[in-house]
Amino acid sequence: MNPLANLFRVPELKKKIVFTVFILLIYRIGAHITVPGIDVGVLRLQFGTLQNTFLGVYDMFVGGGLSRATIFALGIMPYISASIMFQLLAAVIPTVEKMQKEGEDGRKKLTQWTRYTTVVLSIMQGYGYAVFLQSIPDAVRFPGFGFVFTTVVALTTGAVFIMWMGEQITEHGIGNGMSLMIFFSIIESFPAAVGRTWESLMVGEIGILALVMLVLVVIAVCAGVVAMTMSARKIPVQIPRKVIGRGRIQEGQKSFIPLRVNSAGVMPIIFAQSFIIIPGTLAAFSTWPPLRSLADLFQPQTWPYYVSYSVLILFFTYFYTSIIFNPVDLAENLKKQGAFIPGVKPGARTAEYIDRVLTRITLPGSIYLTLIALLPFFIFDIFNIQAFFFGGTSLLIVVGVGLDTVQQAQQLLLLRHYDGFMKKGRVKMRGRQRYM
């Protein structure tokens, strides 16, 4: 059976999809409402020179809201930053780590702290963005305290409203709301990019053969990203049989621990980008000659940029994997359940074994991330094309979120299938009882 045909046949799933689309529609409408007192034309011209800076990367994640100075210009990024902050703090602050292990109550406290931190970060980022807007000549019609205050309030309110909408999608919709918002912010620019590519083909800037080869390369890369995203190293786990109740014996079971080759996801590329664009960002707001020379040295499509970018991705892949995955906790949980890895002693030896396997599979994962991040630059050089929208970070996010959403839809369909089966079984049993 085709699952796509069944999406709207299941009432619960249909309701979730409609709710998600409705919230995302509100999100995209708000991403085109400009903050009062801004000349958008002047601002977009300024952002044309900031593509390789922090603001250019940030603008991609918010669907161009930053370059248009909309009320949703900050997007979901303050909430994502707050979440990552507490995730990293859990490795160094025992209180945060304890809350993560306290179950539902601890997660509620941590979520509340994350929300408060989101508001603080939104105020700080809103103020910095308002000051930046005032520094652009003729971009602000009436600069001053009134403009700064209005902009900070509008951007903070927009960021908090986006956080609320993301939580509503996660609770009542389909998929992770925060990830879906970033997903739609990225693909929002796909149609315009395809249109620019078509215009380049029409005026003869690129040939039809080069375009066909480029599309085939993109399809092959997407297939590779899907394969690597789904690939995992399965560690076998044996659960011994147990005696339950009055002599009842539960037979032993065999399971496995899936260790993903790319456990860190897209975060190493984001961290590496945040560091590699620091010289360009500082040079965009400074006239100091040494700083501008350093920024020119680390411009994209130069070998210092490629080498530094690769080293940063490799480093942050191992760093972030060590933060989000704790072999010691996993080994303790297996020991509490009476489970064990065949041929490995429970406890410290199990933790060492899992850590050794994770270290080995992280290396190909980090190399894969590096290739995905650098591949667009080489493709653009080979095919002499700059208009086609194809970035390593955006590709990983789009593919990852798409796969996660599809898996959640399939789980709901499967749940509905078994629920219907059980209902039919109960009806048959009632019929037999009546007959008897």
Side-chain angles (χ1 to χ4, degrees), residues 340-401:
F340 62 93
I341 299 174
V344 182
K345 292 183 179 180
R349 292 292 181 87
T350 299
E352 292 174 1
Y353 176 79
I354 296 174
D355 182 65
R356 184 166 63 252
V357 173
L358 185 65
T359 302
R360 289 178 177 177
I361 66 174
T362 300
L363 179 59
S366 62
I367 296 175
Y368 148 76
L369 286 176
T370 304
L371 293 177
I372 290 297
L374 296 180
L375 188 61
F377 299 108
F378 297 121
I379 288 178
F380 293 155
D381 287 340
I382 294 173
F383 294 101
N384 192 24
I385 179 174
Q386 300 293 332
F388 198 85
F389 187 85
F390 181 75
T393 308
S394 57
L395 181 64
L396 285 171
I397 293 175
V398 169
V399 172
V401 176

Side-chain angles (χ1 to χ4, degrees), residues 182-403:
I182 297 178
F183 174 87
F184 277 90
S185 296
I186 292 175
I187 67 173
E188 182 262 348
S189 59
F190 278 17
V194 172
R196 291 194 300 269
T197 304
W198 179 257
E199 291 176 0
S200 300
L201 179 64
M202 291 295 99
V203 299
E205 292 182 359
I206 58 174
I208 184 67
L209 180 61
L211 182 61
V212 171
M213 292 180 63
L214 177 62
V215 172
L216 292 177
V217 170
V218 171
I219 294 174
V221 171
C222 289
V225 170
V226 172
M228 289 297 294
T229 302
M230 301 294 293
S231 60
R233 165 74 158 83
K234 296 180 180 180
I235 299 178
V237 175
Q238 180 69 43
I239 303 175
R241 64 179 183 175
K242 300 179 181 178
V243 178
I244 303 175
R246 300 177 179 178
R248 280 181 53 196
I249 298 178
Q250 181 181 2
E251 293 296 331
Q253 299 176 355
K254 292 183 179 180
S255 184
F256 59 87
I257 303 172
L259 297 180
R260 290 191 177 275
V261 175
N262 182 24
S263 301
V266 75
M267 294 309 300
I269 297 181
I270 295 177
F271 287 152
Q273 279 185 333
S274 301
F275 275 83
I276 201 69
I277 61 179
I278 288 177
T281 303
L282 295 176
F285 303 98
S286 174
T287 57
W288 191 37
L291 187 58
R292 287 192 170 274
S293 300
L294 182 64
D296 293 336
L297 183 64
F298 286 95
Q299 282 294 316
Q301 299 179 334
T302 61
W303 282 108
Y305 179 91
Y306 293 150
V307 174
S308 303
Y309 198 19
S310 302
V311 172
L312 287 172
I313 292 175
L314 293 172
F315 168 76
F316 282 116
T317 302
Y318 277 94
F319 171 76
Y320 194 72
T321 301
S322 66
I323 293 295
I324 64 174
F325 197 94
N326 192 339
V328 176
D329 291 343
L330 181 57
E332 290 180 356
N333 291 333
L334 289 175
K335 189 175 181 179
K336 290 178 182 178
Q337 297 173 4
F340 62 93
I341 299 174
V344 182
K345 292 183 179 180
R349 292 292 181 87
T350 299
E352 292 174 1
Y353 176 79
I354 296 174
D355 182 65
R356 184 166 63 252
V357 173
L358 185 65
T359 302
R360 289 178 177 177
I361 66 174
T362 300
L363 179 59
S366 62
I367 296 175
Y368 148 76
L369 286 176
T370 304
L371 293 177
I372 290 297
L374 296 180
L375 188 61
F377 299 108
F378 297 121
I379 288 178
F380 293 155
D381 287 340
I382 294 173
F383 294 101
N384 192 24
I385 179 174
Q386 300 293 332
F388 198 85
F389 187 85
F390 181 75
T393 308
S394 57
L395 181 64
L396 285 171
I397 293 175
V398 169
V399 172
V401 176
L403 288 174

Side-chain angles (χ1 to χ4, degrees), residues 2 18 20-21 36 40 71-72 111 116 118 132 148 154 159 176 213 221 235 248 274 312 346 349 371 388 390 407 420:
N2 183 10
V18 172
T20 302
V21 172
V40 180
I71 57 175
F72 287 171
T111 300
Y116 293 145
T118 300
F132 164 72
V148 173
N176 187 305
M213 292 180 63
V221 171
I235 299 178
R248 280 181 53 196
S274 301
L312 287 172
R349 292 292 181 87
L371 293 177
F388 198 85
F390 181 75
Q407 288 176 353

Side-chain angles (χ1 to χ4, degrees), residues 10-162:
V10 180
E12 182 183 358
L13 185 57
K14 178 181 178 181
K15 183 178 179 181
K16 287 179 176 292
I17 293 175
V18 172
F19 180 82
T20 302
V21 172
F22 175 72
I23 296 294
L24 291 174
L25 180 62
I26 296 176
Y27 173 62
R28 293 314 305 160
I29 291 175
H32 290 82
I33 301 176
T34 308
V35 173
I38 297 293
D39 190 329
V40 180
V42 175
L43 182 60
R44 291 186 71 86
L45 288 175
Q46 178 68 23
F47 262 83
T49 63
L50 300 175
Q51 293 300 316
N52 297 322
T53 66
F54 174 78
L55 294 177
V57 175
Y58 196 109
D59 193 47
M60 179 191 69
F61 288 108
V62 297
L66 207 65
S67 60
R68 294 190 296 266
T70 65
I71 57 175
F72 287 171
L74 298 181
I76 198 64
M77 297 309 293
Y79 184 83
I80 298 294
S81 301
S83 301
I84 294 174
M85 182 186 303
F86 281 103
Q87 197 171 29
L88 297 177
L89 288 176
V92 295
I93 299 180
T95 304
V96 180
E97 184 182 9
K98 184 180 178 181
M99 282 194 297
Q100 287 184 341
K101 298 179 179 180
E102 284 180 352
E104 189 64 27
D105 292 337
R107 283 193 294 269
K108 286 182 178 179
K109 292 180 182 178
L110 200 58
T111 300
Q112 201 66 19
W113 284 18
T114 304
R115 290 170 180 168
Y116 293 145
T117 307
T118 300
V119 176
V120 175
L121 291 177
S122 300
I123 294 174
M124 295 171 59
Q125 293 179 11
Y127 176 77
Y129 184 55
V131 172
F132 164 72
L133 291 175
Q134 288 194 132
S135 66
I136 302 175
D138 301 326
V140 179
R141 295 187 178 91
F142 304 102
F145 174 78
F147 169 77
V148 173
F149 178 78
T150 303
T151 303
V152 170
V153 171
L155 295 180
T156 303
T157 304
V160 173
F161 185 58
I162 290 174

